[in-house]
Amino acid sequence: MKIRVLGCSGAIAEGSRTTSFLVDHDVLVDAGTGVGDLPLEALAQIDHILVSHSHLDHVLSIGLLADSVMRLRAAQGRGPIQVHALPETLEALRKHIFNGVIWPDFTRLPHADKPVLQLVPFAVGEQLALGGKRFEVLSAAHTVPAVGFALQGPDGWWVYTGDTGPNPALWQRLSTMTVTHLVIETAFSDEEDELASLSRHLCPEKLGHELAQLGGSVDVHITHIKPGEVDAVMAEVSALSTPHRVGALRAGQILQME
Ligand SMILES: [Zn+2]
Ligand SMILES: [Zn+2]
């Protein structure tokens, strides 16, 4: 099993793409701008998209991807791409994106009975078996209904927090799992900790409190830093005292889990 980081930035600029991970060739975790770097043939192989929440930086490529691969997938006889998310997130996509104004309703195109997208609700705590892989939906604490995901590997779980502020429920759940990799957001520097609280994101100081609730010694990958702020945020993160191995996640990074 292989996880490829297509994007891990909090916003866009040259070389910075927003959040998306490709698991093997067929499952996408979030659909930020990084998706657009994949060749068309690779895009057409994506059968599932797991969506952490409705914010634009995580959903922007869903509609564009549907448009790109609709013809090719139909020609290859492939079924709809399943978009998995909380009911509230799916409702937001339906109402605000696939509404015929911002974008066509690809849950009814090219044919209502054979669409390119299918919206599939999940709940926090649910286990999903997708493309031979096992995911668990984790809680997150953000300004809109949001989740994180855990993906089971041979030695333990790869965990992605999604966008989240402090979230005791997450650490409670993870205390019963073997975590090998943790991808956790740190969207703001400590200077902007008020903004971090308001927008329910983490800053390095809050990250320190969160990581203190994670047992063992884990490979921790920091994500969702804004372009231009990586050095400043990582300097503050490096000053934390923690038993974990903490580094910045990079676009293009590939994690082999076997
Ligand atoms: Zn968000
Ligand atoms: Zn975000």
Side-chain angles (χ1 to χ4, degrees):
M1 198 164 57
K2 194 168 81 172
I3 301 166
R4 180 168 158 197
V5 182
L6 301 177
C8 57
S9 187
I12 59 162
E14 185 182 18
S16 295
R17 289 141 176 89
T18 70
T19 308
S20 189
F21 306 94
L22 182 64
V23 184
D24 293 336
H25 59 279
D26 55 342
V27 180
L28 205 58
V29 176
D30 275 341
T33 64
V35 176
D37 289 339
L38 292 173
L40 183 62
E41 276 65 30
L43 291 174
Q45 289 183 39
I46 294 167
D47 290 325
H48 301 275
I49 306 176
L50 295 174
V51 184
S52 66
H53 65 298
S54 58
H55 281 160
L56 192 62
D57 55 322
H58 300 253
V59 305
L60 174 144
S61 287
I62 300 173
L64 298 172
L65 167 69
D67 194 15
S68 295
V69 302
M70 192 167 68
R71 290 148 211 89
L72 192 52
R73 283 183 69 93
Q76 293 173 348
R78 287 174 176 267
I81 302 169
Q82 297 196 331
V83 179
H84 306 263
L86 290 172
E88 296 92 330
T89 307
L90 296 177
E91 184 52 30
L93 290 174
R94 215 188 287 277
K95 190 169 166 193
H96 301 296
I97 293 184
F98 299 109
N99 55 11
V101 178
I102 296 293
W103 209 234
D105 182 2
F106 279 102
T107 66
R108 301 181 60 79
L109 291 169
H111 305 288
D113 56 340
K114 262 192 179 174
V116 65
L117 292 183
Q118 182 187 6
L119 307 184
V120 185
F122 60 47
V124 171
E126 204 170 309
Q127 305 253 346
L128 310 169
L130 307 174
K133 295 168 274 284
R134 189 154 83 114
F135 291 86
E136 180 171 321
V137 182
L138 301 170
S139 76
H142 199 35
T143 52
V144 292
V147 300
F149 299 104
L151 166 62
Q152 191 172 37
D155 303 320
W157 296 80
W158 175 85
V159 172
Y160 161 54
T161 63
D163 286 9
T164 190
N167 182 17
L170 174 68
W171 309 112
Q172 212 162 35
R173 176 67 190 111
L174 294 187
S175 70
T176 66
M177 299 162 85
T178 303
V179 179
T180 51
H181 294 270
L182 173 71
V183 176
I184 184 166
E185 71 124 286
T186 306
F188 291 101
S189 66
D190 282 333
E191 199 181 56
E192 295 183 299
D193 71 326
E194 214 166 301
L195 202 51
S197 297
L198 277 174
S199 57
R200 302 192 84 182
H201 280 291
L202 296 174
C203 58
E205 192 241 334
K206 290 186 169 66
L207 173 75
H209 287 287
E210 296 303 286
L211 291 183
Q213 299 170 68
L214 175 67
S217 180
V218 174
D219 285 322
V220 174
H221 312 272
I222 305 299
T223 188
H224 213 291
I225 305 173
K226 298 258 189 293
E229 292 181 23
V230 176
D231 291 346
V233 168
M234 286 313 295
E236 291 174 347
V237 168
S238 307
L240 295 172
S241 149
T242 167
H244 306 296
R245 297 172 294 278
V246 187
L249 196 65
R250 312 175 266 106
Q253 209 170 324
I254 291 174
L255 179 67
Q256 292 281 355
M257 294 197 45
E258 53 210 359

